[in-house]
mmCIF file of all heavy atoms in Angstrom:
data_model
loop_
_atom_site.group_PDB
_atom_site.id
_atom_site.type_symbol
_atom_site.label_atom_id
_atom_site.label_comp_id
_atom_site.label_asym_id
_atom_site.label_seq_id
_atom_site.Cartn_x
_atom_site.Cartn_y
_atom_site.Cartn_z
ATOM 1 N N LEU A 13 3.837 5.331 -11.300
ATOM 2 C CA LEU A 13 3.691 3.841 -11.251
ATOM 3 C C LEU A 13 2.455 3.465 -12.160
ATOM 4 O O LEU A 13 1.513 4.220 -12.240
ATOM 5 C CB LEU A 13 3.336 3.372 -9.882
ATOM 6 C CG LEU A 13 4.424 3.623 -8.794
ATOM 7 C CD1 LEU A 13 3.941 3.222 -7.382
ATOM 8 C CD2 LEU A 13 5.713 2.848 -9.169
ATOM 9 N N GLY A 14 2.504 2.335 -12.793
ATOM 10 C CA GLY A 14 1.398 1.841 -13.497
ATOM 11 C C GLY A 14 0.292 1.284 -12.613
ATOM 12 O O GLY A 14 -0.899 1.399 -12.967
ATOM 13 N N GLY A 15 0.712 0.703 -11.536
ATOM 14 C CA GLY A 15 -0.233 0.125 -10.602
ATOM 15 C C GLY A 15 -0.247 0.778 -9.256
ATOM 16 O O GLY A 15 -0.129 2.047 -9.178
ATOM 17 N N SER A 16 -0.401 0.021 -8.171
ATOM 18 C CA SER A 16 -0.496 0.544 -6.859
ATOM 19 C C SER A 16 0.853 0.818 -6.183
ATOM 20 O O SER A 16 1.867 0.369 -6.669
ATOM 21 C CB SER A 16 -1.333 -0.376 -5.939
ATOM 22 O OG SER A 16 -2.649 -0.543 -6.490
ATOM 23 N N GLY A 17 0.820 1.611 -5.075
ATOM 24 C CA GLY A 17 2.029 1.906 -4.365
ATOM 25 C C GLY A 17 2.351 0.769 -3.374
ATOM 26 O O GLY A 17 3.298 -0.019 -3.618
ATOM 27 N N VAL A 18 1.639 0.772 -2.255
ATOM 28 C CA VAL A 18 1.848 -0.258 -1.198
ATOM 29 C C VAL A 18 0.565 -1.061 -1.062
ATOM 30 O O VAL A 18 -0.510 -0.447 -0.788
ATOM 31 C CB VAL A 18 2.215 0.362 0.122
ATOM 32 C CG1 VAL A 18 2.315 -0.740 1.191
ATOM 33 C CG2 VAL A 18 3.579 1.075 0.024
ATOM 34 N N VAL A 19 0.589 -2.356 -1.148
ATOM 35 C CA VAL A 19 -0.528 -3.204 -0.867
ATOM 36 C C VAL A 19 -0.150 -4.185 0.295
ATOM 37 O O VAL A 19 0.886 -4.928 0.195
ATOM 38 C CB VAL A 19 -0.892 -4.062 -2.119
ATOM 39 C CG1 VAL A 19 -1.991 -5.032 -1.784
ATOM 40 C CG2 VAL A 19 -1.385 -3.122 -3.212
ATOM 41 N N ILE A 20 -0.926 -4.157 1.356
ATOM 42 C CA ILE A 20 -0.742 -5.084 2.446
ATOM 43 C C ILE A 20 -1.907 -6.090 2.353
ATOM 44 O O ILE A 20 -2.978 -5.855 2.695
ATOM 45 C CB ILE A 20 -0.804 -4.257 3.757
ATOM 46 C CG1 ILE A 20 0.289 -3.229 3.798
ATOM 47 C CG2 ILE A 20 -0.646 -5.170 4.974
ATOM 48 C CD1 ILE A 20 0.290 -2.305 4.991
ATOM 49 N N TRP A 21 -1.474 -7.239 1.802
ATOM 50 C CA TRP A 21 -2.437 -8.270 1.250
ATOM 51 C C TRP A 21 -2.473 -9.549 2.022
ATOM 52 O O TRP A 21 -1.440 -10.252 2.044
ATOM 53 C CB TRP A 21 -2.022 -8.484 -0.237
ATOM 54 C CG TRP A 21 -2.938 -9.285 -1.061
ATOM 55 C CD1 TRP A 21 -4.062 -8.871 -1.699
ATOM 56 C CD2 TRP A 21 -2.801 -10.691 -1.374
ATOM 57 N NE1 TRP A 21 -4.645 -9.861 -2.399
ATOM 58 C CE2 TRP A 21 -3.914 -11.044 -2.190
ATOM 59 C CE3 TRP A 21 -1.914 -11.675 -0.946
ATOM 60 C CZ2 TRP A 21 -4.125 -12.271 -2.706
ATOM 61 C CZ3 TRP A 21 -2.127 -12.930 -1.432
ATOM 62 C CH2 TRP A 21 -3.252 -13.287 -2.281
ATOM 63 N N ARG A 22 -3.516 -9.753 2.692
ATOM 64 C CA ARG A 22 -3.839 -11.040 3.306
ATOM 65 C C ARG A 22 -2.952 -11.386 4.511
ATOM 66 O O ARG A 22 -1.749 -11.461 4.435
ATOM 67 C CB ARG A 22 -3.851 -12.173 2.374
ATOM 68 C CG ARG A 22 -4.819 -12.047 1.240
ATOM 69 C CD ARG A 22 -5.190 -13.356 0.569
ATOM 70 N NE ARG A 22 -6.041 -14.226 1.511
ATOM 71 C CZ ARG A 22 -6.442 -15.382 1.253
ATOM 72 N NH1 ARG A 22 -6.179 -15.934 0.068
ATOM 73 N NH2 ARG A 22 -7.181 -16.063 2.040
ATOM 74 N N GLU A 23 -3.544 -11.437 5.689
ATOM 75 C CA GLU A 23 -2.959 -12.043 6.873
ATOM 76 C C GLU A 23 -1.725 -11.212 7.374
ATOM 77 O O GLU A 23 -0.859 -11.721 8.035
ATOM 78 C CB GLU A 23 -2.503 -13.453 6.622
ATOM 79 C CG GLU A 23 -3.659 -14.381 6.094
ATOM 80 C CD GLU A 23 -3.187 -15.724 5.628
ATOM 81 O OE1 GLU A 23 -2.036 -16.086 5.948
ATOM 82 O OE2 GLU A 23 -3.958 -16.289 4.813
ATOM 83 N N CYS A 24 -1.745 -9.927 7.029
ATOM 84 C CA CYS A 24 -0.602 -9.113 7.466
ATOM 85 C C CYS A 24 -1.032 -8.218 8.651
ATOM 86 O O CYS A 24 -2.114 -7.613 8.649
ATOM 87 C CB CYS A 24 -0.150 -8.208 6.319
ATOM 88 S SG CYS A 24 0.538 -9.143 4.952
ATOM 89 N N ARG A 25 -0.201 -8.108 9.648
ATOM 90 C CA ARG A 25 -0.534 -7.382 10.875
ATOM 91 C C ARG A 25 0.612 -6.512 11.369
ATOM 92 O O ARG A 25 1.808 -6.815 11.170
ATOM 93 C CB ARG A 25 -0.947 -8.283 11.978
ATOM 94 C CG ARG A 25 -2.235 -9.147 11.718
ATOM 95 C CD ARG A 25 -2.749 -9.830 12.922
ATOM 96 N NE ARG A 25 -3.281 -8.824 13.860
ATOM 97 C CZ ARG A 25 -4.523 -8.490 13.837
ATOM 98 N NH1 ARG A 25 -5.398 -8.878 12.963
ATOM 99 N NH2 ARG A 25 -4.987 -7.588 14.738
ATOM 100 N N ASN A 26 0.211 -5.365 11.974
ATOM 101 C CA ASN A 26 1.197 -4.556 12.736
ATOM 102 C C ASN A 26 2.260 -3.963 11.870
ATOM 103 O O ASN A 26 3.442 -3.837 12.286
ATOM 104 C CB ASN A 26 1.762 -5.263 13.915
ATOM 105 C CG ASN A 26 0.716 -5.816 14.830
ATOM 106 O OD1 ASN A 26 -0.346 -5.257 14.999
ATOM 107 N ND2 ASN A 26 0.941 -7.011 15.355
ATOM 108 N N ASN A 27 1.955 -3.651 10.568
ATOM 109 C CA ASN A 27 2.937 -3.053 9.719
ATOM 110 C C ASN A 27 2.667 -1.467 9.640
ATOM 111 O O ASN A 27 1.619 -1.035 9.976
ATOM 112 C CB ASN A 27 2.842 -3.655 8.331
ATOM 113 C CG ASN A 27 3.095 -5.085 8.337
ATOM 114 O OD1 ASN A 27 4.205 -5.580 8.542
ATOM 115 N ND2 ASN A 27 2.042 -5.923 8.147
ATOM 116 N N VAL A 28 3.674 -0.784 9.223
ATOM 117 C CA VAL A 28 3.649 0.741 9.242
ATOM 118 C C VAL A 28 4.007 1.286 7.942
ATOM 119 O O VAL A 28 4.995 0.861 7.314
ATOM 120 C CB VAL A 28 4.578 1.283 10.309
ATOM 121 C CG1 VAL A 28 4.586 2.754 10.300
ATOM 122 C CG2 VAL A 28 4.176 0.750 11.718
ATOM 123 N N VAL A 29 3.177 2.247 7.415
ATOM 124 C CA VAL A 29 3.528 3.036 6.224
ATOM 125 C C VAL A 29 3.464 4.471 6.672
ATOM 126 O O VAL A 29 2.411 4.970 7.025
ATOM 127 C CB VAL A 29 2.591 2.806 5.084
ATOM 128 C CG1 VAL A 29 3.023 3.635 3.868
ATOM 129 C CG2 VAL A 29 2.623 1.304 4.684
ATOM 130 N N ALA A 30 4.658 5.169 6.821
ATOM 131 C CA ALA A 30 4.678 6.445 7.352
ATOM 132 C C ALA A 30 5.688 7.357 6.676
ATOM 133 O O ALA A 30 6.751 6.893 6.242
ATOM 134 C CB ALA A 30 4.986 6.407 8.838
ATOM 135 N N GLY A 31 5.388 8.650 6.572
ATOM 136 C CA GLY A 31 6.290 9.603 6.062
ATOM 137 C C GLY A 31 6.621 9.490 4.583
ATOM 138 O O GLY A 31 7.600 9.985 4.128
ATOM 139 N N CYS A 32 5.706 8.898 3.868
ATOM 140 C CA CYS A 32 5.910 8.618 2.428
ATOM 141 C C CYS A 32 5.133 9.582 1.564
ATOM 142 O O CYS A 32 4.125 10.093 1.962
ATOM 143 C CB CYS A 32 5.533 7.180 2.109
ATOM 144 S SG CYS A 32 6.524 5.922 2.939
ATOM 145 N N GLU A 33 5.625 9.767 0.357
ATOM 146 C CA GLU A 33 4.849 10.502 -0.711
ATOM 147 C C GLU A 33 4.378 9.513 -1.748
ATOM 148 O O GLU A 33 5.171 8.686 -2.254
ATOM 149 C CB GLU A 33 5.717 11.604 -1.272
ATOM 150 C CG GLU A 33 4.917 12.415 -2.329
ATOM 151 C CD GLU A 33 5.757 13.433 -3.096
ATOM 152 O OE1 GLU A 33 7.005 13.333 -2.989
ATOM 153 O OE2 GLU A 33 5.137 14.299 -3.780
ATOM 154 N N PHE A 34 3.175 9.653 -2.142
ATOM 155 C CA PHE A 34 2.591 8.891 -3.231
ATOM 156 C C PHE A 34 2.089 9.880 -4.269
ATOM 157 O O PHE A 34 1.180 10.706 -3.956
ATOM 158 C CB PHE A 34 1.437 7.977 -2.771
ATOM 159 C CG PHE A 34 1.868 6.996 -1.772
ATOM 160 C CD1 PHE A 34 1.961 7.219 -0.434
ATOM 161 C CD2 PHE A 34 2.129 5.638 -2.164
ATOM 162 C CE1 PHE A 34 2.360 6.309 0.469
ATOM 163 C CE2 PHE A 34 2.568 4.720 -1.285
ATOM 164 C CZ PHE A 34 2.620 5.039 0.048
ATOM 165 N N VAL A 35 2.597 9.866 -5.494
ATOM 166 C CA VAL A 35 2.194 10.802 -6.560
ATOM 167 C C VAL A 35 2.213 10.109 -7.922
ATOM 168 O O VAL A 35 3.144 9.368 -8.210
ATOM 169 C CB VAL A 35 3.146 12.098 -6.509
ATOM 170 C CG1 VAL A 35 4.619 11.716 -6.700
ATOM 171 C CG2 VAL A 35 2.645 13.090 -7.610
ATOM 172 N N HIS A 36 1.229 10.329 -8.659
ATOM 173 C CA HIS A 36 1.048 9.697 -10.047
ATOM 174 C C HIS A 36 1.149 8.193 -9.908
ATOM 175 O O HIS A 36 1.800 7.557 -10.784
ATOM 176 C CB HIS A 36 2.136 10.237 -10.902
ATOM 177 C CG HIS A 36 2.049 11.747 -11.170
ATOM 178 N ND1 HIS A 36 3.127 12.493 -11.465
ATOM 179 C CD2 HIS A 36 1.005 12.551 -11.067
ATOM 180 C CE1 HIS A 36 2.772 13.800 -11.503
ATOM 181 N NE2 HIS A 36 1.463 13.919 -11.342
ATOM 182 N N THR A 37 0.507 7.577 -8.890
ATOM 183 C CA THR A 37 0.355 6.121 -8.944
ATOM 184 C C THR A 37 -0.768 5.837 -9.895
ATOM 185 O O THR A 37 -1.825 6.500 -9.878
ATOM 186 C CB THR A 37 0.141 5.550 -7.541
ATOM 187 O OG1 THR A 37 -1.083 6.024 -7.051
ATOM 188 C CG2 THR A 37 1.270 5.883 -6.650
ATOM 189 N N GLY A 38 -0.657 4.754 -10.665
ATOM 190 C CA GLY A 38 -1.671 4.414 -11.622
ATOM 191 C C GLY A 38 -2.968 3.893 -10.925
ATOM 192 O O GLY A 38 -4.082 4.188 -11.366
ATOM 193 N N ASP A 39 -2.780 3.135 -9.844
ATOM 194 C CA ASP A 39 -3.912 2.575 -9.109
ATOM 195 C C ASP A 39 -3.853 3.118 -7.680
ATOM 196 O O ASP A 39 -3.400 4.244 -7.420
ATOM 197 C CB ASP A 39 -3.829 1.048 -9.142
ATOM 198 C CG ASP A 39 -5.183 0.368 -8.995
ATOM 199 O OD1 ASP A 39 -5.900 0.690 -8.021
ATOM 200 O OD2 ASP A 39 -5.470 -0.543 -9.801
ATOM 201 N N THR A 40 -4.327 2.296 -6.729
ATOM 202 C CA THR A 40 -4.472 2.818 -5.300
ATOM 203 C C THR A 40 -3.125 3.056 -4.710
ATOM 204 O O THR A 40 -2.278 2.203 -4.664
ATOM 205 C CB THR A 40 -5.233 1.754 -4.501
ATOM 206 O OG1 THR A 40 -6.424 1.409 -5.255
ATOM 207 C CG2 THR A 40 -5.621 2.207 -3.180
ATOM 208 N N PRO A 41 -2.905 4.233 -4.089
ATOM 209 C CA PRO A 41 -1.603 4.456 -3.398
ATOM 210 C C PRO A 41 -1.388 3.510 -2.233
ATOM 211 O O PRO A 41 -0.302 2.920 -2.207
ATOM 212 C CB PRO A 41 -1.806 5.911 -2.887
ATOM 213 C CG PRO A 41 -2.738 6.511 -3.836
ATOM 214 C CD PRO A 41 -3.721 5.385 -4.184
ATOM 215 N N VAL A 42 -2.334 3.289 -1.317
ATOM 216 C CA VAL A 42 -2.168 2.352 -0.192
ATOM 217 C C VAL A 42 -3.409 1.543 -0.095
ATOM 218 O O VAL A 42 -4.502 2.081 0.075
ATOM 219 C CB VAL A 42 -1.889 3.125 1.119
ATOM 220 C CG1 VAL A 42 -1.697 2.106 2.242
ATOM 221 C CG2 VAL A 42 -0.669 4.037 1.004
ATOM 222 N N CYS A 43 -3.258 0.176 -0.082
ATOM 223 C CA CYS A 43 -4.442 -0.647 0.011
ATOM 224 C C CYS A 43 -4.099 -1.748 1.119
ATOM 225 O O CYS A 43 -3.117 -2.415 1.061
ATOM 226 C CB CYS A 43 -4.702 -1.363 -1.274
ATOM 227 S SG CYS A 43 -6.092 -2.519 -1.236
ATOM 228 N N LEU A 44 -5.079 -1.955 2.104
ATOM 229 C CA LEU A 44 -5.019 -3.005 3.055
ATOM 230 C C LEU A 44 -6.183 -3.953 2.656
ATOM 231 O O LEU A 44 -7.313 -3.519 2.621
ATOM 232 C CB LEU A 44 -5.231 -2.483 4.447
ATOM 233 C CG LEU A 44 -4.412 -1.256 4.846
ATOM 234 C CD1 LEU A 44 -4.787 -0.877 6.277
ATOM 235 C CD2 LEU A 44 -2.933 -1.541 4.716
#
């Protein structure tokens, strides 16, 4: 990826990121 993988951005609650692989992301793999 050129940018990030998963971004949970503003006012988000009770979400799940599980069992994933992040490789060669350009920016942050996971950001809250």
